[in-house]
Amino acid sequence: MPDAGGQHSRSLCILLLEDSEIDAELLAAHLTKAELRFELKRAVNRREFVTLLEEGACEVILADYSLPDFDGLSALNIARALQPDLPFIFVSGVVGEEFATNALKRGATDYVMKRNLTRLATAVERALEQARERRERRDAEDALSRSEMRARLAIEGAELGLWDFDPQSGELAWDDRCKALFGLGPEAEVDYPAFLAGLHPEDRARVDGSVKEATTWTPDAVGAFAEEYRTIAPGGTERWIAARGQAQFDDGQCVRFVGVVRDITEERHAQEALRRLTDDLEREVADRTAERDRIWLLSRDLFVVAGVDGRLVRVNPAWEATLGYGPDKLVGSNFNLLIHADDAAATAKVVEALGRGEVVGRFENRMRQADGGWRWISWTAVPEGEAFYAVGRDVTAEKVAAEALAERNRELAAQIEERERVEATLRQMQRLEAVGQLTSGVAHDFNNLLTVILGNISFVEKAMARQEGAKPGANGPIAERISHMRTAAERGARLTGQMLAFSRRQKLTPKPVDLNETVAGMRDLLQSTMGGSVRIETVLKPGLWPALVDPTQIELIILNLAINARDAMEVGGGLTVETANVALREAPSRPEEPTPGDYVMLSVSDTGSGMSEEVLAKAFEPFFTTKEVGKGSGLGLAQVYGFAKQSGGGVRIETSLGEGTAVKVYLPRAAAEAKREPEPVRRAAPVSTGARTLLVMDDDSAVREITAAMLTELGYSVVEAGSGGAALDILRGDRPIDLLLADYAMPGMNGVEAAKAAIELRPGLPVLFITGFADLKALRDVGEDRIIQKPFRDDELARKVEAVLGGASAEGKVVPLRR
């Protein structure tokens, strides 16, 4: 129905089955004119009608009778099946009382003629009101049914018997349970005299009088009946029954008297036993009172009776034994005067709660002793009128033990946490060590391949150069492709160098270095590498300690970090290179971090995107990169990690998503000051006349062949050996050998072992080691000038061979190797 303002409080959803657009607009106009707020959902065929019904959003259906492929009676049947409670009103131009009657018989709510649409709004509102009344009536019936069922269940659960008595006719109806309580079967006939006959003779008159009193109307009568009586079953069994009833009056006459009965035999027996027990308890009260007095006097616990204002009314002698106060000194004083200041507020809240009659849990406080000391007391208190009763136990010893235990637990927790951290660090270090061993092995094999590739490229380039001398420009395109091959191979050599740096298998030459000078000297290189879009700032610590590092490697580290920072920033970012003296005292929490000590810190920070926790956890793993495919090898931070650890320091990363990253490299402090060394002067190696004979020992035939070819081209006489044993066999002969070039990594006998045996055979024989990676323990006493890294770079092979063969003395040519 409309509200006072003529508008419905909410919008009504109407399902309209009408194929005529004009009629639909006409219906909507009449509903709007009647000030109905509605939403019209229109269907023009069976499919749309069923879909809207299944959605279930509409509250009333308006349907035309005649449609092109559908009719209103079919729509009515569908609506009764899908939405039986939805009001259905025909709005049609079909004339005929017979049709309207038939539609109403089939379940339609109303019928409105299209030529008289003025009653449409009234019909809709009446239909909605009828639907609401039906729902309310159905809900009431359901509630009544549930109420009756609950009552029946309650009666059955309570094991009650039901009776119904009509005083006018004398008819008495019992249910089966009621009959069973009187020892009768379900088929037994009962009446009021039979009921009285089944009672104990001592109870009949009293019960009969109560029934008459309850069923007799008086102005003050309430019709209530409540009695307890005994029944005598036919077999002589006696039961106690509790009966409750209510009389109903009409014009001063009792028209119905109904009630329930319950077997209370066990309860009566229990009451009798309780009465017998009461006598025993009364006798025990005196004994217990005496025991209570003894407990009060002898207990070591503190007993107290106090008023809600905190005044002590009674205390037992234990107060004197525990705290040193006699009862005569405490009674009348305030309880709060004995409490430690830190516990006074909490205790006052407990006393206030007791004053309100609330039950409180156990609480503890410190009580002052007569000698000024303090004891921890654990209290239990209950309120009683204007006082409270409390029992206190001295828990000072337990408190001390608990505090000691808590301290020990804290120590254990810290130890467990530290152990877990160490175990996690160990697992990470083991994993990185395993990856390092893998990468060093891969780098060794790659260096062998790259040695062959770069060596052959050099031969091809020389051959092409000679050919072009004869025919200028003949090999232009081929030369360009050969140049691309060399560039790719050299890039591979740099990658293997980074892999060796991560696995800490590179050969380092640490020297005292002034990092301030190094950073300042790289300023122009960093600016050209970063480009004009990145602002570079240096913060160099005055009085910086010298760092003990390989000066060539530290420049690569700075460049690597700068390039990583550049790739993490947008245009307009900032790069800061900072140095500082740092003294670390805390243990490392991650495997890449440094141990406690004095370090020179080099920090490269950016204003880029930062790292997530997942990325940070893998940042130092080789080949891990967040860059697009082809834009990063994933070896930059791995090389930084390997260099820092091999140098004796460590790395830390401080990062936050969206705010940037700072990579801090900690390098060991050098004992001596950094010295500027002059640049070494390189001289071209002269071509030998062939008077020198070199023994090349390498298990890789391709590497051995290219090495021999390069030495032969330099004019040396070359003897090849594919293993340590083969080389020693040659040295046992008479053939003169001026220099041994030994590959370090070989199966069976490695290069160091072969070199030791060779020097024993030929004392004074100079040795050069050729290696894809250097075993630092085996070669730590070998100078840099006696190690040639694969693949060979520039004229390194020729220069180092000539340097060894052109030495001043034979003693200087011998490589000192530890046995």
Side-chain angles (χ1 to χ4, degrees), residues 385-454:
E386 295 299 321
F388 68 86
Y389 297 76
V391 178
R393 173 160 295 180
D394 186 354
V395 293
T396 305
E398 291 90 333
K399 276 285 185 179
V400 172
E403 182 61 30
L405 179 61
E407 179 62 27
R408 181 56 180 160
N409 286 338
R410 286 191 291 271
E411 293 176 0
L412 288 174
Q415 292 174 4
I416 291 171
E417 182 180 354
E418 177 63 16
R419 179 175 179 177
E420 290 176 347
R421 184 192 65 77
V422 171
E423 288 177 349
T425 301
L426 178 60
R427 286 193 297 270
Q428 178 73 354
M429 292 178 68
Q430 289 172 339
R431 185 161 66 92
L432 292 176
E433 180 64 23
V435 175
Q437 292 175 358
L438 173 64
T439 55
S440 65
V442 171
H444 170 260
D445 291 339
F446 268 54
N447 279 334
N448 279 343
L449 297 175
L450 292 170
T451 299
V452 176
I453 293 171
L454 285 170

Side-chain angles (χ1 to χ4, degrees), residues 18 35-36 90 157 179 188 227 232 279 304 308 385 421 460 473 522 569 571 600 623 707 728 760 763 766 768:
E18 176 61 70
E35 296 185 344
L36 282 176
F90 276 107
K179 292 178 181 180
E227 279 290 348
I232 307 296
D279 295 336
V304 60
V308 295
R421 184 192 65 77
V460 172
M522 293 184 64
M569 291 186 291
V571 174
V600 183
F623 310 115
T707 305
L728 295 178
E760 289 179 358
L768 275 177

